[in-house]
Amino acid sequence: MSNKVITIERHIIDGERQHPGATGNFSAVLRDLTLAIKVIWREVSKAGLVNILGVVGKENIHGDVVKKLDVFADEAIYKAMDHGGHLCVMASEENEDVLHIPDDYPKGKYVLLFDPLDGSSNIDANVSIGTIFSIYRRVSNSGKGTLADCTQPGYKQIAAGYVVYGSSTMMVYTTGDGVHGFTLDPSIGEFLLSHENIRVPKRGRIYSVNEGNYRYWDEGVKKYIKYLQEEDKGTSRPYSARYIGSMVADIHRTLLYGGIFLYPGDTRYPKGKLRLMYEANPLAFIMEQAGGAASNGDQRILDVIPSTLHQKTPLFIGSEEDVALCKEFLQARTAR
Ligand code: AHM
Ligand code: MG
């Protein structure tokens, strides 16, 4: 690890310089997004003070209505990104329809998809939460972006990232050239390179799943989890269980320590709970770039052709060997 201090903005610009013909527009998108993230972080870090400073939904001392944090985060990203001239359209997990750029602002060639505050049910317990984003090139010709711009398959992403607001706040991103992590130094308000070229271990010894849903899983998932719980020192079993219930935090741990995170479909929710466009695709891009894998059980997440903006997908993601073994159980190819 070098001892040079590299801000995320410097890293993004240096990355773009590697590509001949780059205009700097793409760097500008990531730079604007980083600003929105800092605004969200500022509010998230004060979340426990809401009852002192003002109750959600009521007016605060300045006469502003105090917003729910997920609504605040959604608006913070939209407002930071709508006037830069680099995006043609956005879509957010919080909004049914695509988010158009206002008529009086220029439209650019990029598309931004985001989950503004993932795991927001954890806020009141001061548990880590996150923001997830994906960037695509537009497929429509010009003017306003369209739904088709926002429903491209994951392999078309040109960048993806997440922020985890945890014991420290970190931003992790990829532009298809490895995965890099930056830790926020709150005293100077800058994200500094702390985790260069993250590689997920080929195999881990942690599984992460909401086991309360066990009775609703299909046989393949049940057998796989039971297999991980059996003792076999040769394959590092039993695995440890870890489940935060904030996907960004669970995936961040999986990226650093290895293992598998799964949110399968079940008898109540055949497609599971997680969203393809806002959660599975960006995290799959990052995991693959770090040497891991992500599947819906049948196919690679990044190859799924989306049919709707908010569609859900089962997700099996993490170390390459763990995901491969999980898929064998799901497809019942192994007789155990
Ligand atoms: P959200 O987008 O409404 O916050 O829901 C997504 C979250 C993920 O962060 C997490 O992995 C999952 O929901 C947890 O779901 P469950 O409580 O069913 O285990
Ligand atoms: Mg979410």
Side-chain angles (χ1 to χ4, degrees):
M1 165 78 62
S2 97
N3 54 8
K4 270 191 271 169
V5 177
I6 300 174
T7 64
I8 194 162
E9 284 171 20
R10 167 68 34 219
H11 197 266
I12 291 165
I13 291 167
D14 286 350
E16 192 163 35
R17 278 210 191 107
Q18 317 277 328
H19 299 274
T23 57
N25 286 344
F26 180 63
S27 301
V29 173
L30 287 173
R31 189 193 55 220
D32 293 349
L33 199 52
T34 306
L35 177 64
I37 296 301
K38 288 181 198 168
V39 171
I40 297 170
W41 159 73
R42 188 189 63 200
E43 293 305 306
V44 165
S45 61
K46 291 191 296 193
L49 299 170
V50 159
N51 288 335
I52 303 170
L53 301 177
V55 175
V56 172
K58 296 264 171 64
E59 286 189 3
N60 67 12
I61 47 170
H62 306 293
D64 306 323
V65 172
V66 178
K67 292 184 178 130
K68 278 183 72 192
L69 265 179
D70 39 11
V71 176
F72 175 87
D74 191 49
E75 292 180 3
I77 295 179
Y78 181 77
K79 278 188 204 149
M81 306 304 296
D82 70 349
H83 57 284
H86 308 298
L87 299 181
C88 64
V89 68
M90 295 182 245
S92 152
E93 200 196 272
E94 292 284 328
N95 296 278
E96 203 47 40
D97 298 321
V98 301
L99 300 168
H100 286 294
I101 305 296
D103 287 342
D104 38 346
Y105 293 137
K107 318 291 178 290
K109 60 182 174 189
Y110 297 111
V111 177
L112 174 70
L113 267 54
F114 57 95
D115 180 355
L117 213 54
D118 184 64
S120 49
S121 64
N122 279 320
I123 294 173
D124 289 346
N126 201 7
V127 171
S128 296
I129 48 178
T131 297
I132 313 171
F133 64 89
S134 248
I135 300 173
Y136 296 81
R137 246 182 221 102
R138 71 183 300 168
V139 288
S140 56
N141 288 328
S142 58
K144 269 186 168 186
T146 63
L147 180 61
D149 289 319
C150 296
T151 48
Q152 301 183 54
Y155 69 83
K156 297 252 174 141
Q157 290 171 101
I158 56 170
Y162 64 79
V163 182
V164 51
Y165 310 96
S167 48
S168 51
T169 291
M170 269 194 78
M171 180 152 166
V172 172
Y173 87 103
T174 184
T175 54
D177 188 19
V179 178
H180 310 288
F182 299 78
T183 302
L184 182 69
D185 180 337
S187 62
I188 56 170
E190 294 279 6
F191 282 98
L192 304 178
L193 182 62
S194 52
H195 296 64
E196 197 170 9
N197 199 18
I198 299 171
R199 303 296 298 168
V200 58
K202 281 273 163 239
R203 182 165 194 149
R205 35 176 315 173
I206 298 173
Y207 72 91
S208 188
V209 66
N210 184 343
E211 227 165 327
N213 294 335
Y214 185 88
R215 60 175 296 130
Y216 305 113
W217 292 343
D218 71 34
E219 279 310 302
V221 180
K222 284 181 179 168
K223 281 189 181 152
Y224 176 62
I225 295 300
K226 284 289 162 224
Y227 170 84
L228 297 180
Q229 294 170 344
E230 284 162 17
E231 187 178 42
D232 175 28
K233 297 210 165 55
T235 50
S236 299
R237 290 179 291 146
Y239 276 31
S240 290
R242 294 282 184 277
Y243 191 69
I244 298 167
S246 271
M247 185 191 191
V248 169
D250 279 315
I251 298 284
H252 185 61
R253 182 199 56 250
T254 306
L255 192 68
L256 296 180
Y257 297 169
I260 186 164
F261 169 91
L262 45 157
Y263 207 113
D266 62 33
T267 51
R268 293 168 309 166
Y269 308 108
K271 298 267 176 203
K273 173 176 183 186
L274 301 173
R275 315 267 176 175
L276 175 66
M277 303 309 296
Y278 309 105
E279 293 165 328
N281 269 337
L283 295 167
F285 186 25
I286 290 169
M287 195 58 81
E288 284 198 4
Q289 278 293 312
S295 169
N296 67 2
D298 295 319
Q299 69 182 135
R300 185 178 168 235
I301 287 286
L302 297 182
D303 285 337
V304 175
I305 307 295
S307 42
T308 64
L309 195 52
H310 291 280
Q311 79 188 62
K312 293 178 177 169
T313 178
L315 179 64
F316 306 89
I317 182 169
S319 294
E320 192 185 323
E321 290 179 13
D322 287 297
V323 173
L325 183 66
C326 176
K327 270 164 57 188
E328 283 185 35
F329 274 89
L330 297 179
Q331 291 158 9
R333 280 205 294 262
T334 43
R336 279 172 216 274

